[in-house]
Every structure is written in C-alpha cells, then in structure tokens.
Amino acid sequence: MRLALGCQFQFELPRPTPMIARLRIHQSRLADLESPDQLRTDPPVPLQAFHDDFGNSCTRFVAPAGRFGIEVAAVIRNSGLPDPTHPDCPGTPVEDLPEAVLGYLLGSRYCDTDLLAPIAWARFGTRPGGQALVQEICDYVQAQIRFDYLQARATRTAAQAHAEGVGVCRDFAHLAITLCRCMNIPARYCTGYLSEIGTATPDAPGDFAAWIEVWLDGDWRLFDPRNNVPRIGRVLVARGRDAADVAMVHSFGLHQLTSFQVRTEPLQ
C-alpha cells in the first residue's frame, strides 16, 4: 500500500529565532520513500541537515521574524499489514544487556522512575518477564489513563499521568516506558505517523502518534499502549528516551504556533 504523509506548521515569531525540526522520515524507512521527503519553509531560509545522537533526521535553520511556515510531504510504501506481535518473546537479565541499551533503563525528563518504582514493583514484581510483562504493563496503562485531547499538557510526567488518570498518546507512552524501566526492561519513546486504516472515526484532530519500543530477546520490539492493538500504516519519524528528545520543532526563543496540520492517508 501507499501512504501520503505530510505536516504543516505556521508560527508567528517576534524576532529571528534558531530552530531544529525533526519532521523527516526516520532513516530506517528511507528505502520505502517514493521520493525524498524534502522540508520546505515559507519564506525560504538556508537549511542544514544532520542526525542527532539517536539517529533521527534533523534540519537546522534560523526562522525570520513574523509569519513563518514549515512543510514536509512524502509518499511512502507500507506493507499494509498490522504491526508485528511478539508472543512468548523473553526478556534479558540486566547483567546480559548490551551496553548500548543500558541508558534506556534510567529515568529521563518525563519518565520519573524514582517516583513510580514502588508502584511498579508492588504491582508487577512477581510477574514473569518478557513480552507477557510488557503487555500487562500496556494493559494497565490503558486502563489507568483516559484519553482526552483537550487535556494535553506538555509538562506532564509519567507519575503525574498516573496520578491524574488522563492524557494523550505521549502520556500513555511515558507511563509504559517508565514502568518497563522500573522492571529492568529497556524502553524508548517513538513518534511518527499513524493512519486511521481499519479504525473508527478518530477522536482527535490529525496529530503525530506516540508509541514505544522495548528491548526483548535481543532486539527492539514495538508496543502501543495508547491503542493496545496492532495498527496499519505506522511510519517512524523519531526515537529517543522520551518526548524531550524528539520535539517535532524545537525553538530557541519565543514563538506562537498559529496552525498545525498532519496528513496520513492511503492512496489508490
């Protein structure tokens, strides 16, 4: 299947402002693009491309004062199959984990493991590890948090989402990541496009989705605590420890977001 992807941002800026955008498709999916997903700005400015420490495709530029727009569009080939599942996938003891994944056991900006460790161990400490434990954590997160787009808050941590019982997909992801890390399972945050193929009418305007990857049986495995079922048409843009590492547009100065649109549609 083919998916038309894209996003548009409009800003008002009081002065020239440096920015970094993470809006291009992750390098792991570049072979699936029918043509390069070029980032364009209005007005045009010089662009500098680079990859951050997590392998995400980034674009660096200085936006001028006044109205400023950013746009990315692409067509990508997707399998048309639901997300893979991982039945009976075992975990790995901490002492046998590769050094490259150990950092994903630690707390981070939105994943406050120190606050949630007692809750995690009380609830999951006697459970078998591996895929079964991660799925139980995702089930718990979905039952614990009520999705409400109108109550999104950029500063909400995993512990706050757990206490408040409400949030959006990033909050589901942060809580699941934190509980996994508390149980010595490396986990990282993912964001990208997710189509509505095979689902009912979406309950929020078009937006980027958040999900997680956990280290099981020698590889990173995808889980989606927000939807908690395999989905069709998922396209990765960026990975990191949590949402702080994968801001779609990071502004080094004051700005006002005046418009934001995301497109993920199947093509004939």
Side-chain angles (χ1 to χ4, degrees):
M1 67 178 294
R2 300 164 68 234
L3 290 174
L5 309 175
C7 59
Q8 293 180 324
F9 293 77
Q10 290 287 336
F11 298 95
E12 286 288 340
L13 302 165
R15 60 183 60 86
T17 305
M19 289 184 164
I20 295 176
R22 291 176 181 83
L23 296 173
R24 300 184 64 191
I25 303 302
H26 193 269
Q27 58 182 338
S28 62
R29 295 296 308 271
L30 292 184
D32 298 322
L33 288 171
E34 291 193 356
S35 59
D37 57 332
Q38 299 294 339
L39 184 147
R40 297 178 176 84
T41 66
D42 181 23
V45 298
L47 305 175
Q48 178 184 348
F50 70 98
H51 289 93
D52 65 17
D53 292 342
F54 302 99
N56 303 315
S57 299
C58 304
T59 308
R60 184 178 181 181
F61 50 87
V62 177
R67 184 190 62 81
F68 182 71
I70 306 172
E71 180 178 5
V72 176
V75 174
I76 194 168
R77 296 179 296 274
N78 227 49
S79 69
L81 301 174
D83 298 324
T85 57
H86 322 286
D88 303 321
C89 198
T92 304
V94 173
E95 60 270 24
D96 295 330
L97 289 170
E99 286 79 5
V101 308
L102 291 176
Y104 294 99
L105 291 173
L106 307 178
S108 54
R109 165 66 179 88
Y110 293 104
C111 298
D112 31 10
T113 52
D114 53 338
L115 298 180
L116 286 174
I119 294 172
W121 279 98
R123 185 168 189 90
F124 305 111
T126 60
R127 303 292 197 273
Q131 181 272 343
L133 176 55
V134 177
Q135 186 57 59
E136 187 171 351
I137 287 172
C138 289
D139 294 342
Y140 175 77
V141 169
Q142 193 180 63
Q144 184 71 22
I145 300 179
R146 175 176 57 86
F147 184 90
D148 189 340
Y149 195 78
L150 297 179
Q151 296 200 50
R153 190 172 78 244
T155 59
R156 183 183 285 124
T157 68
Q160 290 170 340
H162 185 269
E164 296 169 16
V166 67
V168 293
C169 59
R170 63 179 267 155
D171 301 305
F172 286 74
H174 284 148
L175 181 54
I177 288 169
T178 306
L179 294 174
C180 284
R181 291 178 185 174
C182 289
M183 302 312 299
N184 298 326
I185 303 171
R188 64 188 183 186
Y189 185 97
C190 301
T191 186
Y193 297 93
L194 182 59
S195 81
E196 297 294 334
I197 296 171
T199 68
T201 302
D203 51 6
D207 201 349
F208 290 103
W211 59 92
I212 72 173
E213 290 176 344
V214 301
W215 185 264
L216 295 174
D217 197 24
D219 205 353
W220 291 104
R221 314 290 181 174
L222 186 154
F223 289 82
D224 185 345
R226 157 67 177 108
N227 296 289
N228 213 24
V229 294
R231 293 284 298 270
I232 298 171
R234 192 185 302 270
V235 179
L236 179 68
V237 171
R239 296 183 177 113
R241 292 166 299 183
D242 59 30
D245 291 329
V246 298
M248 312 313 287
V249 180
H250 188 108
S251 169
F252 295 89
L254 296 176
H255 70 274
Q256 180 182 2
L257 177 65
T258 59
S259 176
F260 169 54
Q261 296 179 332
V262 176
R263 178 191 183 200
T264 311
E265 298 176 358
L267 298 176
Q268 297 296 329

